[in-house]
Amino acid sequence: MLAGALPARRRMFADAGVGELRRAAASQLVLDDRHIVVSAEWVASRDGAAPLALKSTFLLRREDGQLRIVVYLNHNDLHAVLADPTAATGS
């Protein structure tokens, strides 16, 4: 499902003048032999505004030798952040 949503999200960011997202930081916490929590911070330039900073957290599960995203949590309201050029600028 997440992969299917990415093209629409990419268009939404482009329409708001947001450049390519780059990972600024990441950390992981191994919960057990199957589960890992990954926290990530992202940054992107945007036209005529301060850089955009976003945070997200993933709960990953190891199944059949592969990691799968079980939970994806944005720490920001993306629609509000994209509508307000002063939002999510590193706070």
Side-chain angles (χ1 to χ4, degrees):
M1 282 178 75
L2 178 62
L6 291 178
R9 177 165 299 173
R10 192 173 293 120
R11 280 191 300 279
M12 180 175 67
F13 276 53
D15 290 346
V18 176
E20 183 176 334
L21 284 170
R22 296 178 319 279
R23 187 181 64 236
S27 63
Q28 67 178 21
L29 173 64
V30 177
L31 300 177
D32 57 32
D33 62 333
R34 293 185 62 207
H35 297 93
I36 302 170
V37 174
V38 176
S39 298
E41 297 179 23
W42 308 89
V43 67
S45 61
R46 55 181 167 176
D47 298 340
L52 178 68
L54 301 171
K55 295 181 182 181
S56 55
T57 299
F58 303 84
L59 173 61
L60 307 177
R61 178 179 295 147
R62 187 175 310 281
E63 293 178 341
D64 300 324
Q66 296 184 350
L67 289 172
R68 301 176 77 73
I69 298 172
V70 178
V71 176
Y72 169 54
L73 175 67
N74 279 313
H75 295 244
N76 309 88
D77 176 345
L78 294 180
H79 292 285
V81 167
L82 295 177
D84 180 0
T86 65
T89 57
S91 59

